[in-house]
Amino acid sequence: MKLRHESDHPGNTEQEAPVLITEAAPSYDDEYAARKRKYFWMMGMRFPCLILAGVFYHTWWLALALIVLSVPLPWVAVLIANDRPPRKAEFVNKYQREPRAVEDGTHRIVAGDRDGEQD
């Protein structure tokens, strides 16, 4: 019986990315880059909205909608850029013991001396 080595598999190259086996969160640099991209996209949408509002000034409701849309964009972009994604809830496996039954109420009571006093 011949054992095959991993490099014997067709299509297996040395440059392949490693397989992700954990559910680790992305690095802080990756999160920051994603937030920065969202910020630039949202801020980049403001200027075209204002230009289109000027182009469609004859259709007043469309121009007004584009202006109203462009006003909160900087505020929303800053909020999204400064907000980190929430932590994911992780299930922690803790030992849970079985609750014990309460003992029955019949106990043997031994009468005795208390502090050396006699009855």
Side-chain angles (χ1 to χ4, degrees), residues 67-78:
I67 289 173
V68 168
L69 178 69
S70 69
V71 168
L73 272 178
W75 178 71
V76 172
V78 168

Side-chain angles (χ1 to χ4, degrees), residues 43-65:
M43 289 304 287
M45 293 302 293
R46 185 171 190 221
F47 192 64
C49 282
L50 292 174
I51 298 287
L52 288 172
V55 168
F56 292 111
Y57 73 93
H58 291 294
T59 312
W60 67 270
W61 59 269
L62 184 58
L64 182 64

Side-chain angles (χ1 to χ4, degrees), residues 88-108:
K88 64 180 181 178
E90 294 183 13
F91 175 74
V92 179
N93 190 7
K94 293 183 179 178
Y95 173 71
Q96 302 272 334
R97 68 179 176 92
E98 297 273 333
R100 296 183 191 178
V102 179
E103 297 178 10
D104 59 346
T106 58
H107 294 287
R108 185 173 154 211

Side-chain angles (χ1 to χ4, degrees), residues 7 10 22 32-33 35-36 39-40 42 44 55 57-58 65-66 69 75 80 82 100 103 108-109 115:
S7 61
T22 65
Y32 179 67
R35 288 187 284 142
K36 205 161 45 166
Y39 175 79
F40 286 126
M42 291 184 79
V55 168
Y57 73 93
H58 291 294
L66 288 168
L69 178 69
W75 178 71
I80 290 175
N82 288 333
R100 296 183 191 178
E103 297 178 10
R108 185 173 154 211
I109 299 174
D115 297 328

